[in-house]
Amino acid sequence: MLAFFLPLFLIFLMIGLPVFFALLFAPGLLLWLNGQERDIALLYRNVYNGMDSFPLMALPFFVLAGELMNRGGITTRLVEFSQALMGHLRGGLAHVNILSSILFAGLSGSAVADTSALGSTLIPAMEKNGYSRKFAAAITAASSVIGPIIPPSGIMIIYAYVMGESVAALFLAGIVPGVLVGVGLMVMVRLMADKYDLPKAERIVTQGQTISKTEAAFSFVLLRINFAGVLVGLFAAVSAILGAYDVVVSVNGWLAFLVFLPIAHVSLLRIRRTVSPDFRIICKKAVVPLQTPIIILGGILVGVFTPTEASAVAVGYALIVGLFILRLLKVRDLPGVLMRAALASSTVLLLVGAAVAFKTVVSLSHAPETMAGFILGLSDNPLILLFLINLLLFAVGMFLDAGPAIIILGPILGPIFVDLGVHPVHFAIIMSVNLTVGLATPPMGLVLFVASSVSGERVETIAKAILPFLLVEVFVIFLITYVPAISMTIPRLTGFVQ
Amino acid sequence: MMTVLRPLAWVNTHVLRLGRRLGAAALALMVVVILTQVFCRYVLNNALAWPDEAARFLMLWMVALMAPSAMRWGGFVAIDTLPNTLSRVPGLALNLVLLCISLVVLLIAVQHGYGHTFGFGGKFDSSSLRIPLEWVGMEGFKIKLRFMYGSLMFCVVMLIVITVELILRTILSLVSPDTEQPGTDEFAMAMGAAD
């Protein structure tokens, strides 16, 4: 009888019962009918145990860091920086929109925050530049799905926790797929630019840019540290390649950093001569906000922080930057920011607790074995099954947000595909990217509604205009599915996946 | 019905407003606690025993204090295609059924919550959390686990009260659609109150 809890759960979900209650009611009801009242107590305890987790704490911290960074002019700085880099191309502001989403993804990790923050700045600017409003809203919504794919990512923390995977491995695995979605969208914009004669834009919108002395000093130091860090990374990669050919290059990392620091300084001085003062200041103004993803990923990669500690450090950094360096954040804003972050993360944490309880009953019911039997009955070729599962995930993503969908489907589908030989991290990325794209698909795509409210365009109109971009995203999903190296190379190179 | 709904809504508004302030403070404290741990571990080379558990304690209470507000404002994720496509009366009737199912789940949960919080397990001491009263010349003591377990039970109790309020609101909308209902202290207002 217990096997019936899945269909029952789906019925409750479809009639509109909140996911939290559906996750508890359907299995609870069948446990009760089965005479397993003791297991209902287990269900309750697992909700508690599911929330009582140190790694899960990264979730509210990343939400809070994103909220703090979103205050004031961070968005404008990122847009100006993207425009300075890509505005001169055909379809310039559409490219700027996509690049801003990629950069914004490293700060917030939320598609909704991305659409709302970038949309309110870029949609009016694109309209002014000659784009139709529906196109501007569609590209904003389509590119916002990059947010939860590139780290830090809330849905990947949820997946890692519910499925017992490494948060760091998932973060690293999400980098290339996220960038790939962005590049794919840029290619589509370039193709459309020829067909619809999309305009170029000015690289520098506001002439006579200024920057405070404090921020200029911070940018000066941070830029050199970043550049030297990149050179050390390249050096380490070359050493690793040479090591594979038995050529041992052994240099202390800190020593290499000290050697590369003056090289970075001289290189930046040379670059400085080739660009205009406005371009230089716009780049400098983007340095401080863009340190957040560097702190998070750098800290995790070097092994200084756990993901939870990295997220808390990101909050501390965002606070110091907002209050003392950029001075865009006021102390009186803090209660509102904290409340918003606590409210957003509390519902998700409660849902994760319910998911852990739900997972217990999934195990008790042997539902994965039944599902595995059914799925393997369709085909025993993993490639065909991955195709079918992508269709299923895409359909689910149309109706349900990525977080709850991962919570529900992860424990059911994950073990089946791992048994078929798909790496757990690879499957996590397939699932996360697919369900994230669902945020921009009609009829229930959340970012479509946000784009509609920001732009004033009807949801149906945006849903039609977004179709070419969705096509690109679906293509990228299949690319990620059938070429595991896209997601697995960085975690493997960094040793987070064997 | 308004004689029950009005005071209930008033109490919920004020309790939840206080809860949100405490929840926001809990989140701020979580950050402070974890940053303290990072500082002590990497700068002073002295990892502390208590921050991990203290931060989890605060997170559990943050959820308990914030989730009822989210429920009151319709912030619990649901596929609401069907309720939205139905006309007013069937839509409200379905909503009433869904709220009653939620209430059943919560009433069963509160029984188990009581057993979990005040049962055998709750009597144990926390492994690292203690109140250092020796700092003020008194005897310090370890915090009982029931104070952590109690967070979920508190959350469930508050969700029950909110669900009852939402049921009353739905019934009122069904039987007397023109009656003006008390406000739900929506987020913008709540932010104003916080300021």
Side-chain angles (χ1 to χ4, degrees), chain A residues 16 18-19 21 25 40-41 44 48 51-54 57 304 309 312 336 339-340 346-347 400, chain B residues 30 34 41-42 55-56 59-60 66 70 77 79 98 102 109 112-113 148-149 153 187 191 194:
Chain A
V19 180
F21 293 113
F25 187 59
I40 298 178
Y44 175 88
Y48 175 84
M51 290 193 296
D52 184 15
S53 150
F54 186 72
M57 213 175 291
V304 179
E309 288 169 346
M339 270 189 210
R340 249 184 285 274
S346 292
T347 47
L400 205 57
Chain B
M30 279 160 65
I34 297 296
R41 186 185 297 161
Y42 296 110
R56 282 191 287 116
M59 182 170 74
L60 288 164
M66 285 295 186
V77 184
I79 300 177
L98 297 175
S102 307
H112 293 290
M148 281 176 90
Y149 294 168
M153 196 183 81
F187 200 56
M191 288 293 103

mmCIF file of all heavy atoms in Angstrom, chain A residues 16 18-19 21 25 40-41 44 48 51-54 57 304 309 312 336 339-340 346-347 400, chain B residues 30 34 41-42 55-56 59-60 66 70 77 79 98 102 109 112-113 148-149 153 187 191 194:
data_model
loop_
_atom_site.group_PDB
_atom_site.id
_atom_site.type_symbol
_atom_site.label_atom_id
_atom_site.label_comp_id
_atom_site.label_asym_id
_atom_site.label_seq_id
_atom_site.Cartn_x
_atom_site.Cartn_y
_atom_site.Cartn_z
ATOM 1 N N GLY A 16 -3.328 21.846 -5.415
ATOM 2 C CA GLY A 16 -2.908 23.129 -4.851
ATOM 3 C C GLY A 16 -2.486 23.098 -3.394
ATOM 4 O O GLY A 16 -2.289 24.162 -2.794
ATOM 5 N N PRO A 18 -0.037 23.229 -0.462
ATOM 6 C CA PRO A 18 1.360 23.668 -0.411
ATOM 7 C C PRO A 18 2.313 22.462 -0.312
ATOM 8 O O PRO A 18 2.009 21.476 0.367
ATOM 9 C CB PRO A 18 1.415 24.523 0.858
ATOM 10 C CG PRO A 18 0.042 25.067 0.987
ATOM 11 C CD PRO A 18 -0.870 23.968 0.504
ATOM 12 N N VAL A 19 3.447 22.576 -1.004
ATOM 13 C CA VAL A 19 4.385 21.443 -1.110
ATOM 14 C C VAL A 19 4.779 20.934 0.279
ATOM 15 O O VAL A 19 4.870 19.722 0.497
ATOM 16 C CB VAL A 19 5.650 21.863 -1.900
ATOM 17 C CG1 VAL A 19 6.629 20.716 -2.020
ATOM 18 C CG2 VAL A 19 5.261 22.368 -3.279
ATOM 19 N N PHE A 21 3.093 20.793 3.053
ATOM 20 C CA PHE A 21 2.066 19.921 3.646
ATOM 21 C C PHE A 21 1.899 18.643 2.832
ATOM 22 O O PHE A 21 1.679 17.564 3.398
ATOM 23 C CB PHE A 21 0.737 20.676 3.767
ATOM 24 C CG PHE A 21 0.802 21.807 4.755
ATOM 25 C CD1 PHE A 21 0.709 23.115 4.337
ATOM 26 C CD2 PHE A 21 0.984 21.566 6.098
ATOM 27 C CE1 PHE A 21 0.796 24.167 5.240
ATOM 28 C CE2 PHE A 21 1.073 22.600 7.021
ATOM 29 C CZ PHE A 21 0.977 23.904 6.591
ATOM 30 N N PHE A 25 1.710 15.044 4.302
ATOM 31 C CA PHE A 25 0.373 14.452 4.410
ATOM 32 C C PHE A 25 0.267 13.126 3.661
ATOM 33 O O PHE A 25 -0.243 12.143 4.215
ATOM 34 C CB PHE A 25 -0.676 15.447 3.893
ATOM 35 C CG PHE A 25 -2.086 14.994 4.118
ATOM 36 C CD1 PHE A 25 -2.556 14.734 5.398
ATOM 37 C CD2 PHE A 25 -2.959 14.812 3.047
ATOM 38 C CE1 PHE A 25 -3.861 14.317 5.619
ATOM 39 C CE2 PHE A 25 -4.266 14.391 3.257
ATOM 40 C CZ PHE A 25 -4.716 14.146 4.542
ATOM 41 N N ILE A 40 5.141 7.659 11.845
ATOM 42 C CA ILE A 40 4.695 9.054 11.704
ATOM 43 C C ILE A 40 5.523 9.939 12.643
ATOM 44 O O ILE A 40 5.892 11.061 12.293
ATOM 45 C CB ILE A 40 3.177 9.190 11.980
ATOM 46 C CG1 ILE A 40 2.400 8.361 10.960
ATOM 47 C CG2 ILE A 40 2.741 10.659 11.906
ATOM 48 C CD1 ILE A 40 0.903 8.369 11.145
ATOM 49 N N ALA A 41 5.826 9.402 13.840
ATOM 50 C CA ALA A 41 6.696 10.144 14.766
ATOM 51 C C ALA A 41 8.068 10.359 14.127
ATOM 52 O O ALA A 41 8.682 11.422 14.261
ATOM 53 C CB ALA A 41 6.830 9.382 16.074
ATOM 54 N N TYR A 44 7.995 13.295 11.781
ATOM 55 C CA TYR A 44 8.130 14.583 12.458
ATOM 56 C C TYR A 44 9.582 14.841 12.832
ATOM 57 O O TYR A 44 10.135 15.911 12.589
ATOM 58 C CB TYR A 44 7.255 14.621 13.715
ATOM 59 C CG TYR A 44 7.443 15.891 14.516
ATOM 60 C CD1 TYR A 44 6.689 17.022 14.246
ATOM 61 C CD2 TYR A 44 8.411 15.972 15.522
ATOM 62 C CE1 TYR A 44 6.882 18.197 14.951
ATOM 63 C CE2 TYR A 44 8.621 17.142 16.224
ATOM 64 C CZ TYR A 44 7.852 18.252 15.942
ATOM 65 O OH TYR A 44 8.061 19.419 16.644
ATOM 66 N N TYR A 48 12.628 17.901 11.767
ATOM 67 C CA TYR A 48 13.552 18.625 12.648
ATOM 68 C C TYR A 48 15.006 18.336 12.261
ATOM 69 O O TYR A 48 15.800 19.251 12.046
ATOM 70 C CB TYR A 48 13.300 18.240 14.113
ATOM 71 C CG TYR A 48 14.293 18.868 15.047
ATOM 72 C CD1 TYR A 48 14.103 20.162 15.527
ATOM 73 C CD2 TYR A 48 15.459 18.204 15.410
ATOM 74 C CE1 TYR A 48 15.032 20.763 16.348
ATOM 75 C CE2 TYR A 48 16.399 18.796 16.222
ATOM 76 C CZ TYR A 48 16.183 20.080 16.693
ATOM 77 O OH TYR A 48 17.122 20.677 17.495
ATOM 78 N N MET A 51 16.318 20.038 9.198
ATOM 79 C CA MET A 51 16.662 21.471 9.270
ATOM 80 C C MET A 51 17.880 21.720 10.150
ATOM 81 O O MET A 51 18.543 22.739 10.008
ATOM 82 C CB MET A 51 15.476 22.254 9.843
ATOM 83 C CG MET A 51 14.295 22.347 8.914
ATOM 84 S SD MET A 51 13.126 23.561 9.505
ATOM 85 C CE MET A 51 12.606 22.861 11.052
ATOM 86 N N ASP A 52 18.138 20.801 11.066
ATOM 87 C CA ASP A 52 19.214 20.989 12.039
ATOM 88 C C ASP A 52 20.550 20.612 11.392
ATOM 89 O O ASP A 52 21.133 19.575 11.700
ATOM 90 C CB ASP A 52 18.930 20.108 13.267
ATOM 91 C CG ASP A 52 19.957 20.334 14.363
ATOM 92 O OD1 ASP A 52 20.680 21.328 14.298
ATOM 93 O OD2 ASP A 52 20.022 19.492 15.280
ATOM 94 N N SER A 53 21.005 21.465 10.473
ATOM 95 C CA SER A 53 22.197 21.092 9.717
ATOM 96 C C SER A 53 23.131 22.291 9.542
ATOM 97 O O SER A 53 22.682 23.391 9.191
ATOM 98 C CB SER A 53 21.762 20.575 8.344
ATOM 99 O OG SER A 53 22.739 20.828 7.388
ATOM 100 N N PHE A 54 24.412 22.071 9.763
ATOM 101 C CA PHE A 54 25.393 23.146 9.595
ATOM 102 C C PHE A 54 25.588 23.508 8.112
ATOM 103 O O PHE A 54 25.576 24.695 7.766
ATOM 104 C CB PHE A 54 26.720 22.741 10.251
ATOM 105 C CG PHE A 54 27.740 23.823 10.246
ATOM 106 C CD1 PHE A 54 27.617 24.930 11.079
ATOM 107 C CD2 PHE A 54 28.826 23.770 9.397
ATOM 108 C CE1 PHE A 54 28.554 25.950 11.063
ATOM 109 C CE2 PHE A 54 29.765 24.785 9.375
ATOM 110 C CZ PHE A 54 29.626 25.875 10.217
ATOM 111 N N MET A 57 23.150 25.914 6.513
ATOM 112 C CA MET A 57 23.179 27.309 6.945
ATOM 113 C C MET A 57 23.708 28.239 5.837
ATOM 114 O O MET A 57 23.475 29.446 5.868
ATOM 115 C CB MET A 57 24.090 27.417 8.159
ATOM 116 C CG MET A 57 23.677 28.446 9.156
ATOM 117 S SD MET A 57 24.741 28.351 10.555
ATOM 118 C CE MET A 57 24.271 26.802 11.261
ATOM 119 N N VAL A 304 40.378 27.084 2.783
ATOM 120 C CA VAL A 304 40.363 27.933 3.976
ATOM 121 C C VAL A 304 39.004 27.856 4.668
ATOM 122 O O VAL A 304 38.916 27.787 5.887
ATOM 123 C CB VAL A 304 40.674 29.405 3.585
ATOM 124 C CG1 VAL A 304 40.649 30.306 4.803
ATOM 125 C CG2 VAL A 304 42.015 29.490 2.903
ATOM 126 N N GLU A 309 31.045 28.580 5.988
ATOM 127 C CA GLU A 309 31.891 29.684 6.465
ATOM 128 C C GLU A 309 32.123 30.696 5.352
ATOM 129 O O GLU A 309 32.101 31.911 5.597
ATOM 130 C CB GLU A 309 33.223 29.137 6.972
ATOM 131 C CG GLU A 309 33.076 28.392 8.292
ATOM 132 C CD GLU A 309 34.326 27.612 8.677
ATOM 133 O OE1 GLU A 309 35.212 27.431 7.814
ATOM 134 O OE2 GLU A 309 34.392 27.164 9.827
ATOM 135 N N ALA A 312 29.224 32.969 5.177
ATOM 136 C CA ALA A 312 29.206 33.961 6.265
ATOM 137 C C ALA A 312 30.249 35.054 5.992
ATOM 138 O O ALA A 312 29.988 36.236 6.238
ATOM 139 C CB ALA A 312 29.482 33.288 7.601
ATOM 140 N N GLY A 336 15.381 45.657 7.437
ATOM 141 C CA GLY A 336 14.603 45.222 6.273
ATOM 142 C C GLY A 336 15.316 44.139 5.486
ATOM 143 O O GLY A 336 14.717 43.144 5.097
ATOM 144 N N MET A 339 15.274 40.891 7.473
ATOM 145 C CA MET A 339 13.939 40.272 7.478
ATOM 146 C C MET A 339 13.635 39.605 6.153
ATOM 147 O O MET A 339 13.123 38.487 6.109
ATOM 148 C CB MET A 339 12.871 41.316 7.785
ATOM 149 C CG MET A 339 12.594 41.439 9.255
ATOM 150 S SD MET A 339 11.168 42.480 9.509
ATOM 151 C CE MET A 339 11.588 43.165 11.083
ATOM 152 N N ARG A 340 13.950 40.299 5.065
ATOM 153 C CA ARG A 340 13.688 39.741 3.735
ATOM 154 C C ARG A 340 14.458 38.429 3.549
ATOM 155 O O ARG A 340 13.910 37.424 3.091
ATOM 156 C CB ARG A 340 14.101 40.734 2.654
ATOM 157 C CG ARG A 340 12.912 41.308 1.898
ATOM 158 C CD ARG A 340 13.397 42.201 0.767
ATOM 159 N NE ARG A 340 13.882 43.467 1.273
ATOM 160 C CZ ARG A 340 13.105 44.513 1.502
ATOM 161 N NH1 ARG A 340 11.823 44.439 1.236
ATOM 162 N NH2 ARG A 340 13.588 45.634 1.966
ATOM 163 N N SER A 346 13.576 30.958 5.324
ATOM 164 C CA SER A 346 12.848 30.106 6.281
ATOM 165 C C SER A 346 11.908 29.127 5.580
ATOM 166 O O SER A 346 11.843 27.950 5.955
ATOM 167 C CB SER A 346 12.037 30.973 7.243
ATOM 168 O OG SER A 346 12.902 31.681 8.050
ATOM 169 N N THR A 347 11.165 29.619 4.576
ATOM 170 C CA THR A 347 10.226 28.715 3.893
ATOM 171 C C THR A 347 10.984 27.596 3.184
ATOM 172 O O THR A 347 10.544 26.449 3.178
ATOM 173 C CB THR A 347 9.364 29.479 2.864
ATOM 174 O OG1 THR A 347 10.211 30.303 2.093
ATOM 175 C CG2 THR A 347 8.324 30.320 3.528
ATOM 176 N N LEU A 400 6.562 23.913 -11.493
ATOM 177 C CA LEU A 400 7.061 23.970 -10.121
ATOM 178 C C LEU A 400 8.417 24.682 -10.104
ATOM 179 O O LEU A 400 9.217 24.520 -11.020
ATOM 180 C CB LEU A 400 7.220 22.528 -9.601
ATOM 181 C CG LEU A 400 7.157 22.297 -8.101
ATOM 182 C CD1 LEU A 400 5.843 22.811 -7.526
ATOM 183 C CD2 LEU A 400 7.303 20.816 -7.790
ATOM 184 N N MET B 30 23.620 34.679 13.785
ATOM 185 C CA MET B 30 24.235 33.516 13.121
ATOM 186 C C MET B 30 25.508 33.936 12.387
ATOM 187 O O MET B 30 26.544 33.275 12.465
ATOM 188 C CB MET B 30 23.253 32.915 12.091
ATOM 189 C CG MET B 30 22.200 32.016 12.676
ATOM 190 S SD MET B 30 20.797 31.835 11.544
ATOM 191 C CE MET B 30 21.547 31.007 10.176
ATOM 192 N N ILE B 34 29.342 32.644 13.301
ATOM 193 C CA ILE B 34 30.198 31.913 12.346
ATOM 194 C C ILE B 34 31.465 32.711 12.044
ATOM 195 O O ILE B 34 32.557 32.145 11.961
ATOM 196 C CB ILE B 34 29.427 31.602 11.034
ATOM 197 C CG1 ILE B 34 28.249 30.674 11.320
ATOM 198 C CG2 ILE B 34 30.339 30.971 9.983
ATOM 199 C CD1 ILE B 34 28.611 29.300 11.827
ATOM 200 N N ARG B 41 39.504 30.420 14.516
ATOM 201 C CA ARG B 41 40.197 29.259 13.938
ATOM 202 C C ARG B 41 41.416 29.681 13.120
ATOM 203 O O ARG B 41 42.482 29.106 13.252
ATOM 204 C CB ARG B 41 39.234 28.457 13.069
ATOM 205 C CG ARG B 41 39.876 27.152 12.571
ATOM 206 C CD ARG B 41 38.981 26.422 11.619
ATOM 207 N NE ARG B 41 37.748 26.012 12.262
ATOM 208 C CZ ARG B 41 36.645 25.690 11.586
ATOM 209 N NH1 ARG B 41 36.631 25.773 10.264
ATOM 210 N NH2 ARG B 41 35.562 25.311 12.216
ATOM 211 N N TYR B 42 41.257 30.714 12.287
ATOM 212 C CA TYR B 42 42.334 31.042 11.356
ATOM 213 C C TYR B 42 43.276 32.132 11.856
ATOM 214 O O TYR B 42 44.424 32.169 11.465
ATOM 215 C CB TYR B 42 41.754 31.423 9.986
ATOM 216 C CG TYR B 42 41.040 30.259 9.364
ATOM 217 C CD1 TYR B 42 39.665 30.257 9.226
ATOM 218 C CD2 TYR B 42 41.744 29.127 8.962
ATOM 219 C CE1 TYR B 42 39.003 29.170 8.691
ATOM 220 C CE2 TYR B 42 41.093 28.038 8.438
ATOM 221 C CZ TYR B 42 39.720 28.062 8.297
ATOM 222 O OH TYR B 42 39.085 26.978 7.783
ATOM 223 N N ALA B 55 24.945 28.415 16.155
ATOM 224 C CA ALA B 55 24.400 28.903 14.880
ATOM 225 C C ALA B 55 23.221 28.034 14.435
ATOM 226 O O ALA B 55 22.225 28.558 13.924
ATOM 227 C CB ALA B 55 25.492 28.906 13.822
ATOM 228 N N ARG B 56 23.321 26.720 14.653
ATOM 229 C CA ARG B 56 22.189 25.835 14.289
ATOM 230 C C ARG B 56 20.978 26.163 15.155
ATOM 231 O O ARG B 56 19.846 26.187 14.691
ATOM 232 C CB ARG B 56 22.583 24.368 14.456
ATOM 233 C CG ARG B 56 23.444 23.868 13.302
ATOM 234 C CD ARG B 56 23.598 22.363 13.336
ATOM 235 N NE ARG B 56 24.481 21.935 14.394
ATOM 236 C CZ ARG B 56 24.126 21.201 15.432
ATOM 237 N NH1 ARG B 56 22.883 20.802 15.566
ATOM 238 N NH2 ARG B 56 24.990 20.849 16.352
ATOM 239 N N MET B 59 19.451 29.204 13.820
ATOM 240 C CA MET B 59 18.781 28.975 12.529
ATOM 241 C C MET B 59 17.414 28.311 12.736
ATOM 242 O O MET B 59 16.429 28.685 12.090
ATOM 243 C CB MET B 59 19.654 28.104 11.618
ATOM 244 C CG MET B 59 19.032 27.868 10.240
ATOM 245 S SD MET B 59 20.135 27.092 9.058
ATOM 246 C CE MET B 59 20.164 25.416 9.642
ATOM 247 N N LEU B 60 17.375 27.334 13.642
ATOM 248 C CA LEU B 60 16.098 26.647 13.891
ATOM 249 C C LEU B 60 15.048 27.632 14.409
ATOM 250 O O LEU B 60 13.895 27.605 13.985
ATOM 251 C CB LEU B 60 16.307 25.521 14.915
ATOM 252 C CG LEU B 60 17.082 24.311 14.392
ATOM 253 C CD1 LEU B 60 17.571 23.440 15.540
ATOM 254 C CD2 LEU B 60 16.212 23.497 13.448
ATOM 255 N N MET B 66 9.930 32.907 11.553
ATOM 256 C CA MET B 66 9.645 33.529 10.252
ATOM 257 C C MET B 66 8.584 32.779 9.437
ATOM 258 O O MET B 66 7.801 33.401 8.712
ATOM 259 C CB MET B 66 10.926 33.604 9.419
ATOM 260 C CG MET B 66 11.871 34.672 9.868
ATOM 261 S SD MET B 66 11.111 36.279 9.610
ATOM 262 C CE MET B 66 12.391 37.412 10.019
ATOM 263 N N ALA B 70 5.361 33.851 6.621
ATOM 264 C CA ALA B 70 5.322 33.431 5.205
ATOM 265 C C ALA B 70 4.006 32.732 4.902
ATOM 266 O O ALA B 70 3.385 32.969 3.861
ATOM 267 C CB ALA B 70 6.497 32.507 4.912
ATOM 268 N N VAL B 77 5.211 27.534 -1.008
ATOM 269 C CA VAL B 77 5.151 27.168 -2.430
ATOM 270 C C VAL B 77 4.034 26.155 -2.677
ATOM 271 O O VAL B 77 3.900 25.166 -1.954
ATOM 272 C CB VAL B 77 6.495 26.548 -2.882
ATOM 273 C CG1 VAL B 77 6.472 26.255 -4.376
ATOM 274 C CG2 VAL B 77 7.636 27.465 -2.531
ATOM 275 N N ILE B 79 1.372 24.602 -6.222
ATOM 276 C CA ILE B 79 0.940 24.725 -7.621
ATOM 277 C C ILE B 79 -0.506 25.209 -7.575
ATOM 278 O O ILE B 79 -1.422 24.422 -7.316
ATOM 279 C CB ILE B 79 1.049 23.377 -8.357
ATOM 280 C CG1 ILE B 79 2.500 22.882 -8.334
ATOM 281 C CG2 ILE B 79 0.560 23.491 -9.794
ATOM 282 C CD1 ILE B 79 2.704 21.529 -8.961
ATOM 283 N N LEU B 98 -8.103 22.646 1.333
ATOM 284 C CA LEU B 98 -6.642 22.587 1.442
ATOM 285 C C LEU B 98 -6.171 23.086 2.807
ATOM 286 O O LEU B 98 -5.268 22.501 3.418
ATOM 287 C CB LEU B 98 -5.989 23.412 0.327
ATOM 288 C CG LEU B 98 -6.249 22.937 -1.106
ATOM 289 C CD1 LEU B 98 -5.651 23.906 -2.111
ATOM 290 C CD2 LEU B 98 -5.700 21.538 -1.335
ATOM 291 N N SER B 102 -4.177 21.034 5.721
ATOM 292 C CA SER B 102 -2.980 21.583 6.376
ATOM 293 C C SER B 102 -3.149 21.558 7.892
ATOM 294 O O SER B 102 -2.213 21.210 8.627
ATOM 295 C CB SER B 102 -2.734 23.029 5.931
ATOM 296 O OG SER B 102 -2.703 23.109 4.529
ATOM 297 N N ALA B 109 1.158 16.913 13.879
ATOM 298 C CA ALA B 109 2.564 17.281 14.125
ATOM 299 C C ALA B 109 2.753 17.814 15.542
ATOM 300 O O ALA B 109 3.756 17.510 16.184
ATOM 301 C CB ALA B 109 3.013 18.315 13.101
ATOM 302 N N HIS B 112 3.193 15.008 18.082
ATOM 303 C CA HIS B 112 4.540 14.427 18.025
ATOM 304 C C HIS B 112 5.582 15.433 18.501
ATOM 305 O O HIS B 112 6.583 15.051 19.110
ATOM 306 C CB HIS B 112 4.854 13.962 16.604
ATOM 307 C CG HIS B 112 4.014 12.805 16.172
ATOM 308 N ND1 HIS B 112 4.161 11.544 16.706
ATOM 309 C CD2 HIS B 112 2.986 12.718 15.301
ATOM 310 C CE1 HIS B 112 3.276 10.734 16.164
ATOM 311 N NE2 HIS B 112 2.538 11.429 15.301
ATOM 312 N N GLY B 113 5.317 16.719 18.223
ATOM 313 C CA GLY B 113 6.232 17.767 18.659
ATOM 314 C C GLY B 113 6.327 17.826 20.172
ATOM 315 O O GLY B 113 7.413 17.995 20.727
ATOM 316 N N MET B 148 16.103 23.479 21.820
ATOM 317 C CA MET B 148 16.290 23.416 20.360
ATOM 318 C C MET B 148 15.090 22.710 19.727
ATOM 319 O O MET B 148 14.525 23.174 18.743
ATOM 320 C CB MET B 148 17.581 22.668 20.015
ATOM 321 C CG MET B 148 18.823 23.511 20.187
ATOM 322 S SD MET B 148 20.342 22.601 19.891
ATOM 323 C CE MET B 148 20.561 22.869 18.142
ATOM 324 N N TYR B 149 14.710 21.557 20.311
ATOM 325 C CA TYR B 149 13.575 20.792 19.767
ATOM 326 C C TYR B 149 12.301 21.639 19.758
ATOM 327 O O TYR B 149 11.455 21.505 18.879
ATOM 328 C CB TYR B 149 13.311 19.541 20.609
ATOM 329 C CG TYR B 149 14.408 18.488 20.584
ATOM 330 C CD1 TYR B 149 14.403 17.435 21.498
ATOM 331 C CD2 TYR B 149 15.439 18.533 19.646
ATOM 332 C CE1 TYR B 149 15.394 16.456 21.493
ATOM 333 C CE2 TYR B 149 16.436 17.572 19.641
ATOM 334 C CZ TYR B 149 16.405 16.538 20.562
ATOM 335 O OH TYR B 149 17.390 15.585 20.551
ATOM 336 N N MET B 153 8.284 22.814 17.416
ATOM 337 C CA MET B 153 6.937 22.736 18.006
ATOM 338 C C MET B 153 6.302 24.132 18.055
ATOM 339 O O MET B 153 5.127 24.303 17.742
ATOM 340 C CB MET B 153 6.994 22.128 19.403
ATOM 341 C CG MET B 153 5.615 21.670 19.860
ATOM 342 S SD MET B 153 5.553 21.036 21.503
ATOM 343 C CE MET B 153 5.479 22.507 22.464
ATOM 344 N N PHE B 187 4.073 42.716 3.859
ATOM 345 C CA PHE B 187 5.495 42.934 4.077
ATOM 346 C C PHE B 187 5.899 44.406 4.089
ATOM 347 O O PHE B 187 6.678 44.822 4.915
ATOM 348 C CB PHE B 187 6.286 42.170 3.007
ATOM 349 C CG PHE B 187 7.707 41.943 3.405
ATOM 350 C CD1 PHE B 187 8.002 41.286 4.596
ATOM 351 C CD2 PHE B 187 8.742 42.383 2.626
ATOM 352 C CE1 PHE B 187 9.307 41.068 4.985
ATOM 353 C CE2 PHE B 187 10.059 42.168 3.001
ATOM 354 C CZ PHE B 187 10.335 41.505 4.181
ATOM 355 N N MET B 191 7.678 46.132 7.098
ATOM 356 C CA MET B 191 8.975 46.798 6.984
ATOM 357 C C MET B 191 8.906 48.185 7.612
ATOM 358 O O MET B 191 9.797 48.603 8.314
ATOM 359 C CB MET B 191 9.386 46.918 5.508
ATOM 360 C CG MET B 191 9.799 45.623 4.867
ATOM 361 S SD MET B 191 11.314 44.976 5.558
ATOM 362 C CE MET B 191 10.708 43.683 6.594
ATOM 363 N N ALA B 194 9.039 47.821 11.146
ATOM 364 C CA ALA B 194 10.391 47.491 11.620
ATOM 365 C C ALA B 194 11.267 48.730 11.699
ATOM 366 O O ALA B 194 12.117 48.846 12.551
ATOM 367 C CB ALA B 194 11.038 46.472 10.684
#
